[in-house]
């Protein structure tokens, strides 16, 4: 397949003459990770390319082409729209409407007090209840949230981190009270605390005890809820904080390896917990870079798990991932343009081989999605799935000279960063030294400078500007806070205070003694102990983390 005319000859003769007549456009001819593609890729750029080593068939090591042999010909990705606002009743209604519209999995957004481990009536919760997600303070809220939904038939994802153990316990308690069998339940808790220290900053406890709580779920989960993914190692928020695609790839996998090493130190069997580790990546605007990021992620994970960590079970080598289109890319200016952005990003995730997908609503730069905008976002996935034809064959872009070169380059750069983090002593040490904060801030600043100089065009923002259409905005009724606090007060009145105190004492003792906390979280949930009460027990044992000021 080598061309008879070398690439350098084409560049010298054909391309040079072309740009003399038509100069290159004065924009950044480079990816969002600052990788500068050449004008042309040929077999010369893939010298020594070994199909078995670099690609392999779908469903086979190194899983570059996908973790399942038949991919979307047998089963489409899970269409899992992120939803949550106001009270449990309101979100339950949205869940049911999305399921009726063809959604195939649930994804739960929690409000800020819940994410930070506070009850809705805590002074710090005032004005934030139900604003950016659903308010959940006790098992009573969780029961209402999933009322009328068969938890053995629908998988549920919950975006929760510091209080992940408590929220998962409430979900399991709600399922148990309804008679559902835990061995039949499927879903995911995000539970990725390291990326909170790196990017999102919704941490409660210091890094060490925070990671300990995560590993409690690694140890307890496979033996009690075997179909559940007890962590979704998340690059999404790292990207939303301003990282490049390569940084997102490297930092996310480095976090995953850090959890693997912590679990091994606990004495856990890698082939017992590794198959239930899942991932969560961003799908941004640079189409080919995003496709290649997913492919490189699977290959890096497979190689490291098999060769570095010596996992024996092929299930341990498979990187399974959820993806979400890039909220940070959405613009408040001309918001209907976001429909096109989301479609392109979703297509990149699908061609990259994602296993699950959320598509953002076009109005999310302005407010919480309306019912109509959320449905358009879901319909975008359905059009890709049923009308575009991209599901007919696995990894249809494989063999493209550019795609294979870019996948290799992203793998090379990401592994260089991962090795740098390892030399620093691991992710926790890098967090303490401010490494991630500096690197992401620098990348974000470079990108913004390119936008302000006009080197990167954002349609409707720094080019093609006009007034744009006004779109309806969904606001949260302030009455939500009153309704939520009234239910919380009722729970406190009607529960057994002795049982609550006993279960909270058991949780505190387990934390003090370094034992697994998950059984105690479940007992607390069943006794209707509140989220804030459970987190306060751990605050008393572990302390509260304050991020150091970097100078």
């Amino acid at each position: 397949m080598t061309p008879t005319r070398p690439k350098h000859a084409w560049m010298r003769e054909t391309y040079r003459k072309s740009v003399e007549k038509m100069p290159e456009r004065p924009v950044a001819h480079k990816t969002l990770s600052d990788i500068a593609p050449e004008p042309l890729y040929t077999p010369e750029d893939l010298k020594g390319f070994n199909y078995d080593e670099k690609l392999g068939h779908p469903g086979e090591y190194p899983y570059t082409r996908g973790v399942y042999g038949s991919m979307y010909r047998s089963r489409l990705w899970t269409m899992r729209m992120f939803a949550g606002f106001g009270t449990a009743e309101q979100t339950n209604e949205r869940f049911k409407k999305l399921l009726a519209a063809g959604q195939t999995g649930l994804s739960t957004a929690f409000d800020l007090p819940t994410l930070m481990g506070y009850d809705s009536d805590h002074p710090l919760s005032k004005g934030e209840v139900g604003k950016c997600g659903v308010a959940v303070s006790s098992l009573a809220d969780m029961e209402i949230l999933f009322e009328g939904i068969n938890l053995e038939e629908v998988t549920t994802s919950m975006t929760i981190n510091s209080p992940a153990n408590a929220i998962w316990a409430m979900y399991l308690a709600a399922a148990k009270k309804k008679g559902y069998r835990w061995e039949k339940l499927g879903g995911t808790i995000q539970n990725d605390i390291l990326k909170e220290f790196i990017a999102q900053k919704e941490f409660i406890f210091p890094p060490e005890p925070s990671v300990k709580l995560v590993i409690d779920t690694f140890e307890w989960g496979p033996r009690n809820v075997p179909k559940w993914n007890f962590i979704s190692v998340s690059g999404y928020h790292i990207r939303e904080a301003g990282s490049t695609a390569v940084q997102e790839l490297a930092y996310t996998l480095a976090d995953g390896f850090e959890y693997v090493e912590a679990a091994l130190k606990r004495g856990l069997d890698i082939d017992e917990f590794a198959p239930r580790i899942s991932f969560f990546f961003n799908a941004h605007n640079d189409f080919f870079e995003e496709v290649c990021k997913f492919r490189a992620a699977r290959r890096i994970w497979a190689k490291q798990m098999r060769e570095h960590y010596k996992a024996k079970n092929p299930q341990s080598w498979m990187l399974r991932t959820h993806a979400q289109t890039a909220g940070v890319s959405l613009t408040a200016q001309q918001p209907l343009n976001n429909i096109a952005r989301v479609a392109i990003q979703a297509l990149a995730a699908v061609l990259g081989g994602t296993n699950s997908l959320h598509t953002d609503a076009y109005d999310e730069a302005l407010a919480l999605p309306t019912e109509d905008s959320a449905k358009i976002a879901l319909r975008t996935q359905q059009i890709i799935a049923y009308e575009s034809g991209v599901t007919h064959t696995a990894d249809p872009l494989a063999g493209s000279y550019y795609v294979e070169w870019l996948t290799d380059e992203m793998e090379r750069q990401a592994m260089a960063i991962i090795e740098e983090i390892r030399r620093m002593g691991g992710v926790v040490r890098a967090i303490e030294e401010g490494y991630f904060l500096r690197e992401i801030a620098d990348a974000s600043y470079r990108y913004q400078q390119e936008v302000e100089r006009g080197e990167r065009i954002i349609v409707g923002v720094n080019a093609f500007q006009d007034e744009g259409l006004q779109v309806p905005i969904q606001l949260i009724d302030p009455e939500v806070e009153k309704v939520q606090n009234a239910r919380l007060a009722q729970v406190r009145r009607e529960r057994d205070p002795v049982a609550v105190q006993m279960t909270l004492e058991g949780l505190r003792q387990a934390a003090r003694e370094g034992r697994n906390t998950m059984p105690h979280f479940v007992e607390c949930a069943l006794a209707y102990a509140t989220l804030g009460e459970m987190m306060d027990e751990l605050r008393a044992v572990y302390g509260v983390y304050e991020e150091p000021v970097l100078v």
Side-chain angles (χ1 to χ4, degrees), residues 230-350:
F230 39 76
I231 191 169
S232 178
V233 187
S234 176
Y236 185 85
H237 308 85
I238 293 170
R239 191 68 180 280
E240 293 287 289
S243 80
T244 69
V246 167
Q247 288 173 327
E248 176 196 0
L249 173 61
Y251 299 166
T252 306
L253 294 179
D255 285 350
F257 299 141
E258 189 91 354
Y259 293 124
V260 167
E261 291 175 10
L264 292 175
K265 287 179 183 176
R266 176 81 66 97
L268 305 185
D269 180 349
I270 192 168
D271 286 319
E272 183 177 66
F273 67 80
R276 304 318 306 175
I277 298 175
S278 65
F279 288 81
F280 176 23
F281 285 102
N282 200 298
H284 212 291
N285 281 335
D286 196 313
F287 183 81
F288 286 105
E289 183 170 64
E290 295 304 305
V291 170
C292 296
K293 179 181 71 183
F294 289 97
R295 299 170 87 244
R298 285 192 294 272
R299 192 157 72 202
I300 293 171
W301 182 257
K303 288 181 178 179
Q304 290 289 303
M305 293 302 287
R306 190 172 83 164
E307 298 169 15
H308 185 82
Y309 293 106
K310 309 302 181 186
K312 299 293 190 294
N313 184 355
Q315 294 285 327
S316 300
W317 310 335
M318 297 180 185
L319 183 148
R320 294 160 299 108
T321 188
H322 175 66
Q324 180 175 338
T325 56
V328 74
S329 74
L330 304 183
T331 64
Q333 302 93 327
Q334 302 177 29
L336 292 180
N337 293 346
N338 295 328
I339 297 174
R341 291 187 178 98
V342 167
I344 293 168
Q345 294 165 5
L347 182 59
V350 168

Side-chain angles (χ1 to χ4, degrees), residues 355-398:
N355 307 107
S356 172
L357 179 61
H358 165 86
T359 33
D360 292 331
Y362 68 81
D363 53 359
E364 289 192 42
L366 300 168
L368 287 169
T370 64
E371 184 179 330
D372 286 341
S373 68
K375 186 177 288 186
I376 290 172
L378 175 59
R379 294 288 185 251
T380 300
Q381 293 197 48
Q382 292 165 334
I383 289 169
I384 292 172
Y386 296 104
E387 298 184 28
S388 70
V390 298
T391 61
H392 296 327
T393 188
D395 193 23
L397 296 181

Side-chain angles (χ1 to χ4, degrees), residues 32 39 54 63-64 66 87 147 179 187-188 204 217 240 287 289 322 380 391 429 440 442 490 520 536 539:
L32 294 179
K54 295 287 190 177
Y63 304 104
T64 310
T87 63
E147 177 63 36
T188 305
I204 300 175
T217 67
E240 293 287 289
F287 183 81
E289 183 170 64
H322 175 66
T380 300
T391 61
R429 181 62 177 161
I440 293 173
D442 287 347
Q490 181 180 358
H520 301 280
D536 281 347
R539 287 183 179 99

Side-chain angles (χ1 to χ4, degrees), residues 38-68:
E38 296 182 15
L40 176 70
Y41 285 87
T42 75
E44 295 176 60
D45 296 289
L46 298 178
K47 288 180 180 177
F49 188 89
N50 183 301
Y51 182 94
D52 293 332
E53 177 188 331
K54 295 287 190 177
L55 291 176
H57 296 324
E60 297 179 0
Y61 183 88
Y63 304 104
T64 310
R65 306 198 65 185
V67 293
Y68 303 121

